[in-house]
Amino acid sequence: MTKTLENSLDATFRELFSFLQTLVEISSHTTNKSGVNAVQDVLEREFTALGLLCERIPAKDHGDQLIARSACPGSAMLLVGHADTVHRADSGFDAFRRDGETAFGPGVMDMKGGLTVLLWALKLVSQVRPLNELPIQVLIISDEETGSPSSLPTVKQICKNSAAALVYEWGRDGDTIITRRKALYSYKCEITGTTAHTGNDHSKGVNAIRVAADQIQRLEAFTSYEKGITCNVGTISGGNATNVVPDRVEYTVEIRTPEPGALSRFEATLSDLIAEAEARNAHTVFTKTSSLPPLLECEESLALAHAYNKCGKNYGLQANITKEPLGGGSTANFLSGFGVPCIDGLGPYGENAHSNKECLHIPSLKPRVLSTATFLLEHFK
Ligand SMILES: [Zn+2]
């Protein structure tokens, strides 16, 4: 079977590469609704041609979510990607370019390379077995790069009918399959104090910046590299003039943690900070602005990773699995939060994600396509 798949991929590799170019040349920053929909159009045509039934779920402020399903009933293997990128059309980084073994372009690895791998793997599988004999579904979301505000209900819904999931974020060093990612929680903090003239009425003022400074030291102390926890106050603004006691401050803070228990300790500290500020006559409001659960490794996801790596070894992949949770999140976090075992990082290898040097290592495409195709055929044998 391995040889058949390899031959069939060799025969269509030029087509695969030009498909990748087509996707990259469609500018699809998350806020570019028509661009994201244009990517979904291209994918929908391909999935339909493979005999899958496609459904589009429109969103008010984002592009559509795209679902493609086989006719095979039962709890499905879910393949997941996203059509949006972080690259704006006017960023100056807008062309697809090949230089030897490397392809450059906006989203070439995150994740138009991943989408190409996902699609081509299904194409190869379909040449061995009709896809409608296999319980497979595909979800391509439109807003992953901004935390999935519009796609989350669709993600939740599809999880109800998914036995396991494969996520096509880019491949990591050592071909490491991602089974763990940290949780991420962000908050906005607003502090209200009392303004006063610094020369005449300094003692009547409650300096909101001073209160914020004390709070920030406590929050940043949550960082523990040994435990893999990081806490970062990322933005701050407040005050009007040097000779005025400032009565307003806003700052934003995020915490990333591999252990779910750290969140309750963190939120208990936020409550303490509110009470302490109140005792100083300052009012503090924390608002949670994003909440991404951890991608947790479980027995089932570990079994998926081993099974995938067994296939990958046939094609020269190094068969590693994450030992420490990654700091960055993906749709895999939500899937795990909704109880679906999943593995991530199945896209091609690349570098410089989210920058204008983003690039993909072209020789990593073939082993990745072949590994997913073989994995699916083995899984449903
Ligand atoms: Zn991505």
Side-chain angles (χ1 to χ4, degrees), residues 82 110-111 144-145 169-170 354:
H82 62 84
D110 185 11
M111 68 156 50
E144 193 272 343
E145 297 292 4
E169 293 293 348
W170 73 91
H354 294 196

Side-chain angles (χ1 to χ4, degrees), residues 332-355:
N333 292 60
F334 288 120
L335 297 168
S336 173
F338 293 130
V340 176
C342 62
I343 55 174
D344 193 359
L346 307 189
Y349 180 78
E351 284 174 284
N352 308 320
H354 294 196
S355 84

Side-chain angles (χ1 to χ4, degrees), residues 306-320:
H306 285 305
Y308 178 92
N309 278 343
K310 200 171 154 214
C311 303
K313 274 187 189 167
N314 294 327
Y315 308 109
L317 295 185
Q318 293 175 63
N320 289 303

